[in-house]
Amino acid sequence: MDYILGVDGGGSSCRAAIATADGRLLGRGKAGSANIYSDPTQSLSSILHAAKEACKDAGLTEEALQQTFAVLGLAGANAHNDPIGLAENLPFAAVQVVSDSLIALEGAHGSDDGVIGILGTGSNFMARKGEKHYYLGGWGFHCGDQGSGAKMGERALEEALLAHDGLRSLCPLTEHILRQFDDDPRKLSEFARTAKPKDFGEFMPIILIYAKQQSRLALDIVEEGTTYVASALRLLSDDGKLPIALLGGLSHAYDAFLPPDLKQFFVPAKNDALRGALAMAERENALNT
Amino acid sequence: MDYILGVDGGGSSCRAAIATADGRLLGRGKAGSANIYSDPTQSLSSILHAAKEACKDAGLTEEALQQTFAVLGLAGANAHNDPIGLAENLPFAAVQVVSDSLIALEGAHGSDDGVIGILGTGSNFMARKGEKHYYLGGWGFHCGDQGSGAKMGERALEEALLAHDGLRSLCPLTEHILRQFDDDPRKLSEFARTAKPKDFGEFMPIILIYAKQQSRLALDIVEEGTTYVASALRLLSDDGKLPIALLGGLSHAYDAFLPPDLKQFFVPAKNDALRGALAMAERENALNT
């Protein structure tokens, strides 16, 4: 193929980059969420939109996509490999669908061994040890994603309703949340009925503000998430034998809460996930040429 | 109106009964789930189906529904009063939409003061003290319904994935659940992605079996639910000053787990929720004639 395209599709947004076959970056694009676990249809349209934007940014026509080898790194892809036939519904000449964790690992550690924790709307962990890849978590919002913004946000809303019902004392965090719903629990419940993980995740900044003020419930929620994240990182890194990179919108927040004996193994990511996807696309395209 | 109709619509099924204006039962019908919180459209079609069945059972034509005063007691109705305009989309001459807890309270305690706990796919509590009604819980699957079959089932599936990931020891309950998904966590995750509360609730019998065998995780899940249910009942009954009736598919299971000092205030329900809906319809229809 003449071109390569990398896509980094997460729960909140989807980014694409198009490059020449030898990796010279030509253009970038961005669109809405692309989590094929929680919304496959939206995911398809976000990928297409971001890819077209990248073409436009590169000064290419959309026909270029038909000459493109694409690596799509998508949230939810380790749980559900291409459930809606992305390959058939997208204009690319060839498509490889991988998890967003694999492109993030490639970006963060290059071809070296290492562990990543992706902490944002969802949560997801991965390690490479030699030839082997190990996945942990990333099972999605309903029975997984512990320590994610979505799960912690949902928990805070649940606590707000418990406080409204008189089963908990009101606290600054639950008062704040109830106020956002005009102190009407029916509005909160109606919000929760249709909320996507991303919508629950939007309560995370408030939780962090109250946690920093040492407010008990906010600290409890963050500590519950931290316990899970620390266990996952210890298990995958063999207690720190591999370097660990934290990624995602909550990585800085977790930096403040994770225990120092674990943090000594943290390294900064070499590159971002989008660069990881492009690097994989370049390698795979070269192999197929 | 010539006829009255009562509907008891819950997360798992919907029952209807049609009677003469003076309360003589003519026929009954049944259909699928009618939770207007988790699935408003399904709810509408279940109500219609159950009502038509009741007509048929009574030897009436469907035209009778146009001469009918209906009281619809629906799961989720205290959180969301008729969000899809049920009244306009159903053939009844007049419709009153109330919560499933109100018809259950009416059935269980008649016009007396009392507390009910409805424990099934969802969870929901209500009390009548004189002229006043008090609601607790019933906020729906996402940020409420603690102690329900759906929430405890979801928790068990979450624990199964944590065990698969190596973050928990496998136990009889999580082994059993993983086996049901061919030991493939992706199948479990895919199930969870689209599962309705009812589908999560179907894991409750297994949880109870292992809890009775004193299996630790199953006991933990049931004890967590029991703590919530006990708190709710104590709060609403002023620590037992009002009689308490437990209703719903999990009421017998909770009988075995709730503390004796609370159980001494338990009374059997006088009638079921469907009879409660009919009694309300009879009264309201008489007032409007």
Side-chain angles (χ1 to χ4, degrees), chain A residues 37 78-80 137 139 142 146 154 158 165 186 189-190 193 235, chain B residues 37 78-80 137 139 142-143 146 154 158 165 186 189-190 193 235:
Chain A
Y37 173 89
N78 57 336
H80 312 275
W139 300 117
H142 281 292
Q146 294 89 344
E154 186 192 35
E158 184 183 341
D165 277 348
R186 285 175 305 180
S189 166
E190 177 57 28
R193 189 175 74 82
L235 186 67
Chain B
Y37 173 88
N78 59 333
H80 312 277
W139 300 117
H142 280 292
C143 295
Q146 295 88 343
E154 186 193 35
E158 184 182 341
D165 277 348
R186 284 176 306 179
S189 165
E190 177 58 27
R193 189 175 72 82
L235 186 66

PDB file of all heavy atoms in Angstrom, chain A residues 37 78-80 137 139 142 146 154 158 165 186 189-190 193 235, chain B residues 37 78-80 137 139 142-143 146 154 158 165 186 189-190 193 235:
ATOM      1  N   TYR A  37     -16.901  -1.956  22.308  1.00  0.00           N
ATOM      2  CA  TYR A  37     -17.631  -2.701  23.337  1.00  0.00           C
ATOM      3  C   TYR A  37     -18.948  -2.003  23.649  1.00  0.00           C
ATOM      4  O   TYR A  37     -20.005  -2.597  23.597  1.00  0.00           O
ATOM      5  CB  TYR A  37     -16.783  -2.806  24.603  1.00  0.00           C
ATOM      6  CG  TYR A  37     -17.483  -3.401  25.805  1.00  0.00           C
ATOM      7  CD1 TYR A  37     -17.473  -4.776  26.024  1.00  0.00           C
ATOM      8  CD2 TYR A  37     -18.119  -2.589  26.726  1.00  0.00           C
ATOM      9  CE1 TYR A  37     -18.101  -5.318  27.127  1.00  0.00           C
ATOM     10  CE2 TYR A  37     -18.743  -3.122  27.832  1.00  0.00           C
ATOM     11  CZ  TYR A  37     -18.730  -4.488  28.036  1.00  0.00           C
ATOM     12  OH  TYR A  37     -19.349  -5.010  29.141  1.00  0.00           O
ATOM     13  N   ASN A  78     -10.036  -6.243  22.678  1.00  0.00           N
ATOM     14  CA  ASN A  78      -9.548  -7.531  23.177  1.00  0.00           C
ATOM     15  C   ASN A  78     -10.695  -8.404  23.665  1.00  0.00           C
ATOM     16  O   ASN A  78     -10.662  -9.609  23.619  1.00  0.00           O
ATOM     17  CB  ASN A  78      -8.482  -7.381  24.263  1.00  0.00           C
ATOM     18  CG  ASN A  78      -8.967  -6.573  25.446  1.00  0.00           C
ATOM     19  OD1 ASN A  78      -9.885  -5.767  25.310  1.00  0.00           O
ATOM     20  ND2 ASN A  78      -8.370  -6.784  26.606  1.00  0.00           N
ATOM     21  N   ALA A  79     -11.788  -7.731  24.090  1.00  0.00           N
ATOM     22  CA  ALA A  79     -12.955  -8.504  24.507  1.00  0.00           C
ATOM     23  C   ALA A  79     -13.788  -8.931  23.300  1.00  0.00           C
ATOM     24  O   ALA A  79     -14.398  -9.978  23.301  1.00  0.00           O
ATOM     25  CB  ALA A  79     -13.810  -7.678  25.463  1.00  0.00           C
ATOM     26  N   HIS A  80     -13.813  -8.108  22.272  1.00  0.00           N
ATOM     27  CA  HIS A  80     -14.724  -8.371  21.150  1.00  0.00           C
ATOM     28  C   HIS A  80     -14.022  -8.076  19.840  1.00  0.00           C
ATOM     29  O   HIS A  80     -14.044  -6.946  19.370  1.00  0.00           O
ATOM     30  CB  HIS A  80     -15.959  -7.483  21.242  1.00  0.00           C
ATOM     31  CG  HIS A  80     -16.544  -7.495  22.599  1.00  0.00           C
ATOM     32  ND1 HIS A  80     -17.416  -8.459  23.000  1.00  0.00           N
ATOM     33  CD2 HIS A  80     -16.323  -6.697  23.661  1.00  0.00           C
ATOM     34  CE1 HIS A  80     -17.733  -8.237  24.256  1.00  0.00           C
ATOM     35  NE2 HIS A  80     -17.082  -7.182  24.679  1.00  0.00           N
ATOM     36  N   GLY A 137      -7.860  -7.270  32.668  1.00  0.00           N
ATOM     37  CA  GLY A 137      -8.947  -6.286  32.708  1.00  0.00           C
ATOM     38  C   GLY A 137      -9.399  -5.912  31.309  1.00  0.00           C
ATOM     39  O   GLY A 137      -9.218  -6.674  30.365  1.00  0.00           O
ATOM     40  N   TRP A 139     -12.505  -5.594  30.454  1.00  0.00           N
ATOM     41  CA  TRP A 139     -13.693  -6.396  30.126  1.00  0.00           C
ATOM     42  C   TRP A 139     -14.939  -5.554  29.909  1.00  0.00           C
ATOM     43  O   TRP A 139     -16.007  -6.094  29.677  1.00  0.00           O
ATOM     44  CB  TRP A 139     -13.947  -7.454  31.212  1.00  0.00           C
ATOM     45  CG  TRP A 139     -12.806  -8.397  31.362  1.00  0.00           C
ATOM     46  CD1 TRP A 139     -12.023  -8.572  32.467  1.00  0.00           C
ATOM     47  CD2 TRP A 139     -12.286  -9.296  30.368  1.00  0.00           C
ATOM     48  NE1 TRP A 139     -11.057  -9.506  32.220  1.00  0.00           N
ATOM     49  CE2 TRP A 139     -11.182  -9.969  30.940  1.00  0.00           C
ATOM     50  CE3 TRP A 139     -12.635  -9.586  29.041  1.00  0.00           C
ATOM     51  CZ2 TRP A 139     -10.444 -10.915  30.231  1.00  0.00           C
ATOM     52  CZ3 TRP A 139     -11.883 -10.533  28.339  1.00  0.00           C
ATOM     53  CH2 TRP A 139     -10.809 -11.187  28.939  1.00  0.00           C
ATOM     54  N   HIS A 142     -19.608  -3.111  32.324  1.00  0.00           N
ATOM     55  CA  HIS A 142     -20.603  -3.769  33.188  1.00  0.00           C
ATOM     56  C   HIS A 142     -20.018  -4.663  34.261  1.00  0.00           C
ATOM     57  O   HIS A 142     -20.426  -4.610  35.409  1.00  0.00           O
ATOM     58  CB  HIS A 142     -21.655  -4.493  32.366  1.00  0.00           C
ATOM     59  CG  HIS A 142     -22.656  -3.526  31.857  1.00  0.00           C
ATOM     60  ND1 HIS A 142     -23.522  -2.877  32.689  1.00  0.00           N
ATOM     61  CD2 HIS A 142     -22.883  -3.021  30.623  1.00  0.00           C
ATOM     62  CE1 HIS A 142     -24.248  -2.043  31.998  1.00  0.00           C
ATOM     63  NE2 HIS A 142     -23.880  -2.094  30.742  1.00  0.00           N
ATOM     64  N   GLN A 146     -12.804  -1.783  36.603  1.00  0.00           N
ATOM     65  CA  GLN A 146     -12.602  -1.276  37.957  1.00  0.00           C
ATOM     66  C   GLN A 146     -11.502  -0.202  37.949  1.00  0.00           C
ATOM     67  O   GLN A 146     -10.539  -0.293  37.196  1.00  0.00           O
ATOM     68  CB  GLN A 146     -12.195  -2.425  38.900  1.00  0.00           C
ATOM     69  CG  GLN A 146     -13.261  -3.476  39.114  1.00  0.00           C
ATOM     70  CD  GLN A 146     -13.201  -4.592  38.079  1.00  0.00           C
ATOM     71  OE1 GLN A 146     -12.567  -4.459  37.033  1.00  0.00           O
ATOM     72  NE2 GLN A 146     -13.860  -5.701  38.369  1.00  0.00           N
ATOM     73  N   GLU A 154     -19.906   6.219  38.538  1.00  0.00           N
ATOM     74  CA  GLU A 154     -21.151   5.492  38.813  1.00  0.00           C
ATOM     75  C   GLU A 154     -21.301   5.254  40.322  1.00  0.00           C
ATOM     76  O   GLU A 154     -22.378   5.435  40.893  1.00  0.00           O
ATOM     77  CB  GLU A 154     -21.144   4.147  38.069  1.00  0.00           C
ATOM     78  CG  GLU A 154     -22.466   3.388  38.178  1.00  0.00           C
ATOM     79  CD  GLU A 154     -22.364   1.942  37.700  1.00  0.00           C
ATOM     80  OE1 GLU A 154     -21.302   1.308  37.902  1.00  0.00           O
ATOM     81  OE2 GLU A 154     -23.345   1.445  37.133  1.00  0.00           O
ATOM     82  N   GLU A 158     -24.280   6.446  42.858  1.00  0.00           N
ATOM     83  CA  GLU A 158     -24.977   5.478  43.709  1.00  0.00           C
ATOM     84  C   GLU A 158     -24.971   5.962  45.161  1.00  0.00           C
ATOM     85  O   GLU A 158     -26.001   5.918  45.849  1.00  0.00           O
ATOM     86  CB  GLU A 158     -24.267   4.118  43.583  1.00  0.00           C
ATOM     87  CG  GLU A 158     -24.947   2.996  44.342  1.00  0.00           C
ATOM     88  CD  GLU A 158     -24.156   1.682  44.246  1.00  0.00           C
ATOM     89  OE1 GLU A 158     -23.316   1.548  43.332  1.00  0.00           O
ATOM     90  OE2 GLU A 158     -24.373   0.811  45.104  1.00  0.00           O
ATOM     91  N   ASP A 165     -31.644   8.817  50.199  1.00  0.00           N
ATOM     92  CA  ASP A 165     -32.598   7.903  50.848  1.00  0.00           C
ATOM     93  C   ASP A 165     -32.419   7.862  52.366  1.00  0.00           C
ATOM     94  O   ASP A 165     -33.191   7.203  53.058  1.00  0.00           O
ATOM     95  CB  ASP A 165     -32.424   6.483  50.279  1.00  0.00           C
ATOM     96  CG  ASP A 165     -33.183   6.289  48.960  1.00  0.00           C
ATOM     97  OD1 ASP A 165     -34.005   7.156  48.621  1.00  0.00           O
ATOM     98  OD2 ASP A 165     -32.954   5.263  48.291  1.00  0.00           O
ATOM     99  N   ARG A 186     -34.917  11.620  41.019  1.00  0.00           N
ATOM    100  CA  ARG A 186     -35.483  11.050  39.788  1.00  0.00           C
ATOM    101  C   ARG A 186     -34.693  11.497  38.576  1.00  0.00           C
ATOM    102  O   ARG A 186     -34.491  10.745  37.625  1.00  0.00           O
ATOM    103  CB  ARG A 186     -36.956  11.449  39.634  1.00  0.00           C
ATOM    104  CG  ARG A 186     -37.874  10.671  40.568  1.00  0.00           C
ATOM    105  CD  ARG A 186     -39.279  11.182  40.467  1.00  0.00           C
ATOM    106  NE  ARG A 186     -39.326  12.617  40.717  1.00  0.00           N
ATOM    107  CZ  ARG A 186     -40.437  13.349  40.700  1.00  0.00           C
ATOM    108  NH1 ARG A 186     -41.595  12.788  40.438  1.00  0.00           N
ATOM    109  NH2 ARG A 186     -40.387  14.636  40.971  1.00  0.00           N
ATOM    110  N   SER A 189     -31.560   9.378  38.568  1.00  0.00           N
ATOM    111  CA  SER A 189     -31.889   8.025  38.123  1.00  0.00           C
ATOM    112  C   SER A 189     -32.137   7.986  36.615  1.00  0.00           C
ATOM    113  O   SER A 189     -31.695   7.057  35.918  1.00  0.00           O
ATOM    114  CB  SER A 189     -33.108   7.532  38.911  1.00  0.00           C
ATOM    115  OG  SER A 189     -33.657   6.398  38.336  1.00  0.00           O
ATOM    116  N   GLU A 190     -32.820   8.984  36.091  1.00  0.00           N
ATOM    117  CA  GLU A 190     -33.097   9.061  34.649  1.00  0.00           C
ATOM    118  C   GLU A 190     -31.784   9.240  33.873  1.00  0.00           C
ATOM    119  O   GLU A 190     -31.582   8.616  32.828  1.00  0.00           O
ATOM    120  CB  GLU A 190     -34.061  10.223  34.366  1.00  0.00           C
ATOM    121  CG  GLU A 190     -34.380  10.464  32.903  1.00  0.00           C
ATOM    122  CD  GLU A 190     -34.964   9.246  32.184  1.00  0.00           C
ATOM    123  OE1 GLU A 190     -35.607   8.412  32.863  1.00  0.00           O
ATOM    124  OE2 GLU A 190     -34.752   9.109  30.967  1.00  0.00           O
ATOM    125  N   ARG A 193     -30.006   5.922  33.747  1.00  0.00           N
ATOM    126  CA  ARG A 193     -30.652   4.919  32.898  1.00  0.00           C
ATOM    127  C   ARG A 193     -30.054   4.894  31.500  1.00  0.00           C
ATOM    128  O   ARG A 193     -29.919   3.853  30.880  1.00  0.00           O
ATOM    129  CB  ARG A 193     -32.160   5.214  32.801  1.00  0.00           C
ATOM    130  CG  ARG A 193     -32.971   4.121  32.124  1.00  0.00           C
ATOM    131  CD  ARG A 193     -34.456   4.422  32.185  1.00  0.00           C
ATOM    132  NE  ARG A 193     -34.850   5.482  31.282  1.00  0.00           N
ATOM    133  CZ  ARG A 193     -35.098   5.319  29.981  1.00  0.00           C
ATOM    134  NH1 ARG A 193     -35.001   4.118  29.449  1.00  0.00           N
ATOM    135  NH2 ARG A 193     -35.449   6.330  29.222  1.00  0.00           N
ATOM    136  N   LEU A 235       0.822  -7.632  39.635  1.00  0.00           N
ATOM    137  CA  LEU A 235       0.705  -8.965  39.028  1.00  0.00           C
ATOM    138  C   LEU A 235       1.391  -9.007  37.667  1.00  0.00           C
ATOM    139  O   LEU A 235       2.193  -9.903  37.388  1.00  0.00           O
ATOM    140  CB  LEU A 235      -0.778  -9.339  38.899  1.00  0.00           C
ATOM    141  CG  LEU A 235      -1.080 -10.759  38.405  1.00  0.00           C
ATOM    142  CD1 LEU A 235      -0.639 -11.784  39.441  1.00  0.00           C
ATOM    143  CD2 LEU A 235      -2.572 -10.927  38.114  1.00  0.00           C
TER     144      LEU A 235
ATOM    145  N   TYR B  37     -38.401   1.655  33.495  1.00  0.00           N
ATOM    146  CA  TYR B  37     -37.070   2.239  33.675  1.00  0.00           C
ATOM    147  C   TYR B  37     -36.100   1.635  32.662  1.00  0.00           C
ATOM    148  O   TYR B  37     -35.442   2.346  31.922  1.00  0.00           O
ATOM    149  CB  TYR B  37     -36.581   1.983  35.095  1.00  0.00           C
ATOM    150  CG  TYR B  37     -35.153   2.390  35.377  1.00  0.00           C
ATOM    151  CD1 TYR B  37     -34.840   3.682  35.793  1.00  0.00           C
ATOM    152  CD2 TYR B  37     -34.115   1.478  35.248  1.00  0.00           C
ATOM    153  CE1 TYR B  37     -33.544   4.046  36.063  1.00  0.00           C
ATOM    154  CE2 TYR B  37     -32.817   1.835  35.517  1.00  0.00           C
ATOM    155  CZ  TYR B  37     -32.526   3.126  35.926  1.00  0.00           C
ATOM    156  OH  TYR B  37     -31.232   3.472  36.196  1.00  0.00           O
ATOM    157  N   ASN B  78     -41.828   5.005  40.014  1.00  0.00           N
ATOM    158  CA  ASN B  78     -41.588   6.092  40.974  1.00  0.00           C
ATOM    159  C   ASN B  78     -40.408   6.955  40.528  1.00  0.00           C
ATOM    160  O   ASN B  78     -40.350   8.133  40.797  1.00  0.00           O
ATOM    161  CB  ASN B  78     -41.416   5.596  42.408  1.00  0.00           C
ATOM    162  CG  ASN B  78     -40.272   4.631  42.551  1.00  0.00           C
ATOM    163  OD1 ASN B  78     -39.918   3.953  41.585  1.00  0.00           O
ATOM    164  ND2 ASN B  78     -39.695   4.556  43.720  1.00  0.00           N
ATOM    165  N   ALA B  79     -39.492   6.338  39.776  1.00  0.00           N
ATOM    166  CA  ALA B  79     -38.374   7.120  39.258  1.00  0.00           C
ATOM    167  C   ALA B  79     -38.770   7.881  37.991  1.00  0.00           C
ATOM    168  O   ALA B  79     -38.291   8.967  37.744  1.00  0.00           O
ATOM    169  CB  ALA B  79     -37.188   6.213  38.985  1.00  0.00           C
ATOM    170  N   HIS B  80     -39.641   7.302  37.209  1.00  0.00           N
ATOM    171  CA  HIS B  80     -39.942   7.882  35.894  1.00  0.00           C
ATOM    172  C   HIS B  80     -41.428   7.796  35.624  1.00  0.00           C
ATOM    173  O   HIS B  80     -41.906   6.808  35.090  1.00  0.00           O
ATOM    174  CB  HIS B  80     -39.210   7.126  34.789  1.00  0.00           C
ATOM    175  CG  HIS B  80     -37.789   6.918  35.114  1.00  0.00           C
ATOM    176  ND1 HIS B  80     -36.835   7.873  34.895  1.00  0.00           N
ATOM    177  CD2 HIS B  80     -37.160   5.897  35.724  1.00  0.00           C
ATOM    178  CE1 HIS B  80     -35.687   7.440  35.329  1.00  0.00           C
ATOM    179  NE2 HIS B  80     -35.839   6.239  35.830  1.00  0.00           N
ATOM    180  N   GLY B 137     -35.192   3.632  47.746  1.00  0.00           N
ATOM    181  CA  GLY B 137     -34.613   2.779  46.699  1.00  0.00           C
ATOM    182  C   GLY B 137     -35.479   2.763  45.457  1.00  0.00           C
ATOM    183  O   GLY B 137     -36.255   3.688  45.205  1.00  0.00           O
ATOM    184  N   TRP B 139     -34.309   2.975  42.456  1.00  0.00           N
ATOM    185  CA  TRP B 139     -33.755   3.949  41.499  1.00  0.00           C
ATOM    186  C   TRP B 139     -33.259   3.309  40.223  1.00  0.00           C
ATOM    187  O   TRP B 139     -32.730   3.998  39.351  1.00  0.00           O
ATOM    188  CB  TRP B 139     -32.636   4.761  42.166  1.00  0.00           C
ATOM    189  CG  TRP B 139     -33.114   5.529  43.354  1.00  0.00           C
ATOM    190  CD1 TRP B 139     -32.703   5.370  44.650  1.00  0.00           C
ATOM    191  CD2 TRP B 139     -34.116   6.562  43.381  1.00  0.00           C
ATOM    192  NE1 TRP B 139     -33.384   6.228  45.474  1.00  0.00           N
ATOM    193  CE2 TRP B 139     -34.257   6.964  44.717  1.00  0.00           C
ATOM    194  CE3 TRP B 139     -34.902   7.166  42.406  1.00  0.00           C
ATOM    195  CZ2 TRP B 139     -35.167   7.962  45.101  1.00  0.00           C
ATOM    196  CZ3 TRP B 139     -35.806   8.148  42.788  1.00  0.00           C
ATOM    197  CH2 TRP B 139     -35.923   8.539  44.124  1.00  0.00           C
ATOM    198  N   HIS B 142     -28.773   0.934  37.434  1.00  0.00           N
ATOM    199  CA  HIS B 142     -27.419   1.486  37.296  1.00  0.00           C
ATOM    200  C   HIS B 142     -26.827   2.060  38.569  1.00  0.00           C
ATOM    201  O   HIS B 142     -25.682   1.797  38.893  1.00  0.00           O
ATOM    202  CB  HIS B 142     -27.338   2.485  36.150  1.00  0.00           C
ATOM    203  CG  HIS B 142     -27.225   1.765  34.857  1.00  0.00           C
ATOM    204  ND1 HIS B 142     -26.112   1.060  34.525  1.00  0.00           N
ATOM    205  CD2 HIS B 142     -28.102   1.559  33.865  1.00  0.00           C
ATOM    206  CE1 HIS B 142     -26.289   0.476  33.367  1.00  0.00           C
ATOM    207  NE2 HIS B 142     -27.497   0.759  32.941  1.00  0.00           N
ATOM    208  N   CYS B 143     -27.598   2.873  39.267  1.00  0.00           N
ATOM    209  CA  CYS B 143     -27.052   3.455  40.490  1.00  0.00           C
ATOM    210  C   CYS B 143     -27.915   3.088  41.687  1.00  0.00           C
ATOM    211  O   CYS B 143     -27.839   3.749  42.725  1.00  0.00           O
ATOM    212  CB  CYS B 143     -26.921   4.966  40.350  1.00  0.00           C
ATOM    213  SG  CYS B 143     -25.735   5.433  39.086  1.00  0.00           S
ATOM    214  N   GLN B 146     -29.689  -2.007  44.965  1.00  0.00           N
ATOM    215  CA  GLN B 146     -28.805  -2.808  45.801  1.00  0.00           C
ATOM    216  C   GLN B 146     -29.601  -3.960  46.430  1.00  0.00           C
ATOM    217  O   GLN B 146     -30.764  -3.811  46.765  1.00  0.00           O
ATOM    218  CB  GLN B 146     -28.187  -1.951  46.917  1.00  0.00           C
ATOM    219  CG  GLN B 146     -27.267  -0.844  46.427  1.00  0.00           C
ATOM    220  CD  GLN B 146     -27.992   0.455  46.107  1.00  0.00           C
ATOM    221  OE1 GLN B 146     -29.215   0.482  45.950  1.00  0.00           O
ATOM    222  NE2 GLN B 146     -27.246   1.535  46.007  1.00  0.00           N
ATOM    223  N   GLU B 154     -24.695  -9.429  38.798  1.00  0.00           N
ATOM    224  CA  GLU B 154     -23.641  -8.657  38.132  1.00  0.00           C
ATOM    225  C   GLU B 154     -22.334  -8.735  38.932  1.00  0.00           C
ATOM    226  O   GLU B 154     -21.260  -8.919  38.385  1.00  0.00           O
ATOM    227  CB  GLU B 154     -24.082  -7.193  37.986  1.00  0.00           C
ATOM    228  CG  GLU B 154     -23.120  -6.349  37.175  1.00  0.00           C
ATOM    229  CD  GLU B 154     -23.402  -4.843  37.300  1.00  0.00           C
ATOM    230  OE1 GLU B 154     -23.808  -4.389  38.392  1.00  0.00           O
ATOM    231  OE2 GLU B 154     -23.198  -4.139  36.297  1.00  0.00           O
ATOM    232  N   GLU B 158     -18.656 -10.123  37.809  1.00  0.00           N
ATOM    233  CA  GLU B 158     -17.457  -9.291  37.976  1.00  0.00           C
ATOM    234  C   GLU B 158     -16.367 -10.072  38.722  1.00  0.00           C
ATOM    235  O   GLU B 158     -15.197 -10.066  38.318  1.00  0.00           O
ATOM    236  CB  GLU B 158     -17.843  -8.024  38.755  1.00  0.00           C
ATOM    237  CG  GLU B 158     -16.718  -7.037  38.925  1.00  0.00           C
ATOM    238  CD  GLU B 158     -17.142  -5.804  39.757  1.00  0.00           C
ATOM    239  OE1 GLU B 158     -18.347  -5.535  39.896  1.00  0.00           O
ATOM    240  OE2 GLU B 158     -16.229  -5.129  40.272  1.00  0.00           O
ATOM    241  N   ASP B 165      -8.650 -13.212  35.782  1.00  0.00           N
ATOM    242  CA  ASP B 165      -7.462 -12.365  35.610  1.00  0.00           C
ATOM    243  C   ASP B 165      -6.370 -12.668  36.631  1.00  0.00           C
ATOM    244  O   ASP B 165      -5.289 -12.091  36.554  1.00  0.00           O
ATOM    245  CB  ASP B 165      -7.861 -10.877  35.722  1.00  0.00           C
ATOM    246  CG  ASP B 165      -8.417 -10.327  34.406  1.00  0.00           C
ATOM    247  OD1 ASP B 165      -8.275 -11.011  33.373  1.00  0.00           O
ATOM    248  OD2 ASP B 165      -8.974  -9.220  34.417  1.00  0.00           O
ATOM    249  N   ARG B 186     -14.170 -13.617  27.285  1.00  0.00           N
ATOM    250  CA  ARG B 186     -14.737 -12.738  26.249  1.00  0.00           C
ATOM    251  C   ARG B 186     -16.227 -13.001  26.066  1.00  0.00           C
ATOM    252  O   ARG B 186     -17.002 -12.094  25.804  1.00  0.00           O
ATOM    253  CB  ARG B 186     -14.000 -12.941  24.917  1.00  0.00           C
ATOM    254  CG  ARG B 186     -12.638 -12.263  24.903  1.00  0.00           C
ATOM    255  CD  ARG B 186     -11.899 -12.566  23.624  1.00  0.00           C
ATOM    256  NE  ARG B 186     -11.827 -14.026  23.418  1.00  0.00           N
ATOM    257  CZ  ARG B 186     -11.254 -14.601  22.375  1.00  0.00           C
ATOM    258  NH1 ARG B 186     -10.702 -13.857  21.446  1.00  0.00           N
ATOM    259  NH2 ARG B 186     -11.202 -15.910  22.278  1.00  0.00           N
ATOM    260  N   SER B 189     -17.908 -11.271  28.968  1.00  0.00           N
ATOM    261  CA  SER B 189     -17.911  -9.829  28.754  1.00  0.00           C
ATOM    262  C   SER B 189     -18.939  -9.439  27.686  1.00  0.00           C
ATOM    263  O   SER B 189     -19.652  -8.436  27.825  1.00  0.00           O
ATOM    264  CB  SER B 189     -16.497  -9.393  28.357  1.00  0.00           C
ATOM    265  OG  SER B 189     -16.482  -8.107  27.821  1.00  0.00           O
ATOM    266  N   GLU B 190     -19.039 -10.224  26.630  1.00  0.00           N
ATOM    267  CA  GLU B 190     -20.017  -9.958  25.569  1.00  0.00           C
ATOM    268  C   GLU B 190     -21.446 -10.105  26.106  1.00  0.00           C
ATOM    269  O   GLU B 190     -22.326  -9.305  25.792  1.00  0.00           O
ATOM    270  CB  GLU B 190     -19.775 -10.912  24.397  1.00  0.00           C
ATOM    271  CG  GLU B 190     -20.767 -10.805  23.247  1.00  0.00           C
ATOM    272  CD  GLU B 190     -20.852  -9.408  22.622  1.00  0.00           C
ATOM    273  OE1 GLU B 190     -19.860  -8.667  22.688  1.00  0.00           O
ATOM    274  OE2 GLU B 190     -21.934  -9.066  22.101  1.00  0.00           O
ATOM    275  N   ARG B 193     -22.272  -7.068  28.132  1.00  0.00           N
ATOM    276  CA  ARG B 193     -22.437  -5.841  27.341  1.00  0.00           C
ATOM    277  C   ARG B 193     -23.901  -5.583  27.021  1.00  0.00           C
ATOM    278  O   ARG B 193     -24.354  -4.444  27.008  1.00  0.00           O
ATOM    279  CB  ARG B 193     -21.628  -5.935  26.045  1.00  0.00           C
ATOM    280  CG  ARG B 193     -21.553  -4.640  25.264  1.00  0.00           C
ATOM    281  CD  ARG B 193     -20.635  -4.784  24.056  1.00  0.00           C
ATOM    282  NE  ARG B 193     -21.208  -5.587  23.002  1.00  0.00           N
ATOM    283  CZ  ARG B 193     -22.074  -5.125  22.084  1.00  0.00           C
ATOM    284  NH1 ARG B 193     -22.437  -3.854  22.106  1.00  0.00           N
ATOM    285  NH2 ARG B 193     -22.555  -5.903  21.150  1.00  0.00           N
ATOM    286  N   LEU B 235     -34.960   1.580  58.671  1.00  0.00           N
ATOM    287  CA  LEU B 235     -35.230   3.007  58.522  1.00  0.00           C
ATOM    288  C   LEU B 235     -36.720   3.271  58.286  1.00  0.00           C
ATOM    289  O   LEU B 235     -37.329   4.118  58.948  1.00  0.00           O
ATOM    290  CB  LEU B 235     -34.396   3.564  57.356  1.00  0.00           C
ATOM    291  CG  LEU B 235     -34.445   5.077  57.135  1.00  0.00           C
ATOM    292  CD1 LEU B 235     -33.795   5.817  58.302  1.00  0.00           C
ATOM    293  CD2 LEU B 235     -33.736   5.451  55.830  1.00  0.00           C
TER     294      LEU B 235
END
